[in-house]
Amino acid sequence: MSLLIKNGEIITPDARYVADIWCEGETIARIGQNIEPPAGSEVIDAAGKYVFPGFIDPHTHIYLPFMGTYSRDTYETASKAALVGGTTTFFDMCCPSRAEDPKAGFETWTAQSEGKSACDYSFHMGVTKFDANSEAQLREIVASGVRSFKIFLAYKGAFGIDDSELYRTLKLAKELGVVVCAHCENETLVAERQRELIAAGVTGPEGHYLSRPPEVEAEGVHHLMSFAELTGAKVYIVHLSCVEALREAVAARLRGVDVAVETLIQYLVLDRSYAERGGFEASKFVMSPPLRNASNQAVLWQGLRSGLVQTVATDHAPFDFEGQKPMGKDNFTKIPNGIPSLEERVNLLYTHGVCEGRIDLQTFVAVGSTNAAKKFGLFPRKGAIQPGADADLVVYDPEYRGKLSKAAQTHAVDYNAFEGWEIKGRPSVVTVRGEVAAREGKFAGTVGRGRFLRRDCAV
Ligand code: URP
Ligand code: ZN
Ligand code: ZN
């Protein structure tokens, strides 16, 4: 297997230049001018196009038993969708129930994924309870190369952990050098407000955002920051949505807390008006934390530009509009949470970020790929274009114009939250470890070739 990508403009967070990339087997072997390919190698003409490192989605739920149902994608459908959209690696949240042991959960996610993904992937290990038994098992899981935890300060009675468990999880993470990813919403406030709203007869999807205002998220972040400060653990706030929460994170960073911040493409391009749509249409836009007032978007974009926000993920949690979202038809607390966007993330970030002048190309690569690779111990194997790195590459056509739609999408869910939206630019060719895996909006790879990525110590 040998592949030459000729004359593309290579973009990484640190460099921007036109060159050829020579890939031998699974890795990048050489970058230079006028590289002549041996007979029989595949040559991709990238003149007039960008070449990015494969994009990384640090937060997905491909397999997720949640709110009485299961997310709709499989590792096959999701990895195909990821690749078509330029994402070559994703991190799925391994989320056992509180009744399950961590090892049982880990084995379930392994069985769901092994031999089924077309792109590479890793897990963040969910800590959904903490006792002596789970601690011993978590140590084994970390030793096997899963160097990040996921905790929920929300979802009372489901994935949520209490404060003793939080403290002990962070102490263990500090000891093991593991990054702790955290969903920050105060679960008690959510539960109390849900109860009040239902009692007042508010049962429709609007109850979801009313029950989770910015203060609920800011309190969750503040809470985590206090625990992180006392334990010295490295933390990563997932799906941060609003200025109030960001202020708490920044204040903690100024106090010396080792905290990184992820936002989602949904918060950058969708606002609360979508969650206010009439009828049950709003249920397509139910996720936690909820979509916020549009004024937050400028702050999040500024956060990306200034480095206060390090990554843009999707929290891809796909639940059908027909059949699954209606589980909460008469009670918003039962609407499965999530807005699928694994396939759309990169193109939306490029269209609304780069094309509209909100971020430059190098920030686009940093927040869409490289920063996640660095944070979670994959760099420079992933998130880089340099000799020795995996040949995960995205040849991106900035001249492409098209529309997002359910009819054209690859992932398995029955709606597209961005139906009819114009995109400017898309991946022309996507490679995974030297093999073409998507071409011009169509999957062209090999299901089962994707590898589980064991990770070294996170930075
Ligand atoms: O609404 C969301 N975010 N759904 C997925 C579960 C989670 O909280 O990450
Ligand atoms: Zn979450
Ligand atoms: Zn999530």
Side-chain angles (χ1 to χ4, degrees), residues 59 61 64 66 150 152 155 183 239 286-289 315 317 337-338:
H59 182 173
H61 299 277
L64 182 68
F66 186 49
K150 170 69 188 288
F152 294 88
Y155 305 130
H183 175 137
H239 53 42
V286 164
M287 67 179 301
S288 298
D315 194 8
N337 287 202

Side-chain angles (χ1 to χ4, degrees), residues 359-430:
I359 52 173
D360 62 23
L361 275 169
Q362 289 177 272
T363 303
F364 169 64
V365 173
V367 302
S369 174
T370 309
N371 290 352
K374 288 183 174 169
K375 188 77 213 164
F376 295 116
L378 289 178
F379 188 83
R381 179 175 173 193
K382 305 288 188 190
I385 300 182
Q386 63 186 55
D390 280 359
D392 293 1
L393 297 163
V394 177
V395 178
Y396 202 80
D397 178 5
E399 301 303 326
Y400 175 82
R401 296 292 178 269
K403 285 194 169 159
L404 299 173
S405 70
K406 168 184 177 301
Q409 80 194 10
T410 311
H411 54 65
V413 77
D414 72 352
Y415 74 101
N416 190 302
F418 312 96
E419 189 69 40
W421 286 34
E422 194 191 30
I423 50 160
K424 298 177 179 166
R426 77 165 179 193
S428 176
V429 175
V430 179

Side-chain angles (χ1 to χ4, degrees), residues 14-309:
D14 311 313
R16 182 173 178 170
Y17 57 105
V18 175
D20 300 344
I21 302 174
W22 171 242
C23 311
E24 263 175 25
E26 300 195 342
T27 54
I28 296 172
R30 188 152 78 89
I31 301 172
Q33 306 299 325
N34 304 316
I35 298 177
E36 285 303 322
S41 24
E42 177 165 5
V43 180
I44 293 168
D45 177 14
K49 300 192 170 86
Y50 299 122
V51 186
F52 302 126
F55 289 92
I56 299 172
D57 189 338
H59 182 173
T60 67
H61 299 277
I62 309 309
Y63 174 71
L64 182 68
F66 186 49
M67 300 183 77
T69 188
Y70 292 85
S71 53
R72 279 283 285 120
D73 270 312
T74 61
Y75 277 74
E76 177 174 339
T77 60
S79 61
K80 287 178 174 174
L83 288 163
V84 165
T87 293
T88 54
T89 298
F90 58 76
F91 283 78
D92 211 32
M93 300 292 177
C94 174
C95 297
S97 73
R98 272 178 79 81
E100 246 178 328
D101 283 341
K103 268 171 91 171
F106 187 69
E107 278 157 20
T108 302
W109 261 258
T110 301
Q112 288 293 328
S113 56
E114 222 167 34
K116 294 178 184 143
S117 182
C119 67
D120 292 351
Y121 60 96
S122 193
F123 297 149
H124 300 302
M125 185 62 217
V127 181
T128 49
K129 70 173 169 197
F130 194 97
D131 54 26
N133 180 44
S134 52
E135 178 183 336
Q137 294 191 9
L138 287 166
R139 286 177 184 276
E140 281 181 48
I141 292 167
V142 170
S144 74
V146 179
R147 306 206 63 100
S148 45
F149 291 156
K150 170 69 188 288
I151 56 168
F152 294 88
L153 307 189
Y155 305 130
K156 206 177 183 71
F159 298 135
I161 51 173
D162 66 26
D163 280 352
S164 306
E165 293 172 313
L166 172 60
Y167 186 69
R168 290 173 194 178
T169 302
L170 293 178
K171 295 250 298 188
L172 179 65
K174 167 74 179 163
E175 181 195 324
L176 300 177
V178 165
V179 180
V180 180
C181 308
H183 175 137
C184 296
E185 287 182 300
N186 181 300
E187 62 175 10
T188 306
L189 286 174
V190 173
E192 286 301 313
R193 291 178 68 87
Q194 286 178 334
R195 194 182 49 72
E196 284 168 4
L197 285 158
I198 294 286
V202 181
T203 57
E206 71 281 10
H208 181 75
Y209 63 75
L210 293 171
S211 65
R212 311 173 103 105
E215 293 84 348
V216 166
E217 186 182 346
E219 203 294 318
V221 172
H222 180 83
H223 201 78
L224 179 75
M225 293 304 98
S226 305
F227 281 63
E229 193 168 3
L230 286 170
T231 56
K234 293 177 194 163
V235 289
Y236 173 94
I237 300 167
V238 299
H239 53 42
L240 184 135
S241 71
C242 60
V243 62
E244 291 85 348
L246 184 58
R247 267 195 213 113
E248 296 292 345
V250 172
R253 194 176 292 159
L254 292 174
R255 300 196 302 271
V257 176
D258 189 340
V259 54
V261 175
E262 165 196 285
T263 191
L264 304 183
I265 190 63
Q266 296 93 320
Y267 300 133
L268 292 166
V269 301
L270 297 169
D271 62 31
R272 180 165 141 170
S273 65
Y274 289 85
E276 289 171 339
R277 285 187 168 179
F280 203 58
E281 182 71 9
S283 69
K284 290 178 180 171
F285 301 97
V286 164
M287 67 179 301
S288 298
L291 297 178
R292 302 297 190 191
N293 291 335
S295 57
N296 289 284
Q297 292 176 343
V299 177
L300 295 176
W301 285 112
Q302 173 57 22
L304 292 171
R305 282 193 296 276
S306 63
L308 293 178
V309 179

Side-chain angles (χ1 to χ4, degrees), residues 302-361:
Q302 173 57 22
L304 292 171
R305 282 193 296 276
S306 63
L308 293 178
V309 179
Q310 285 81 38
T311 59
V312 178
T314 61
D315 194 8
H316 183 76
F319 296 101
D320 278 343
F321 181 55
E322 308 280 344
Q324 290 186 296
K325 295 280 186 181
M327 293 165 67
K329 191 106 191 115
D330 302 317
N331 181 341
F332 68 86
T333 69
K334 299 190 183 332
I335 299 171
N337 287 202
I339 306 177
S341 42
L342 177 57
E343 189 168 348
E344 295 83 11
R345 174 185 67 125
V346 171
N347 291 329
L348 287 169
L349 190 61
Y350 182 80
T351 301
H352 294 273
V354 178
C355 296
E356 292 175 19
R358 294 185 172 106
I359 52 173
D360 62 23
L361 275 169

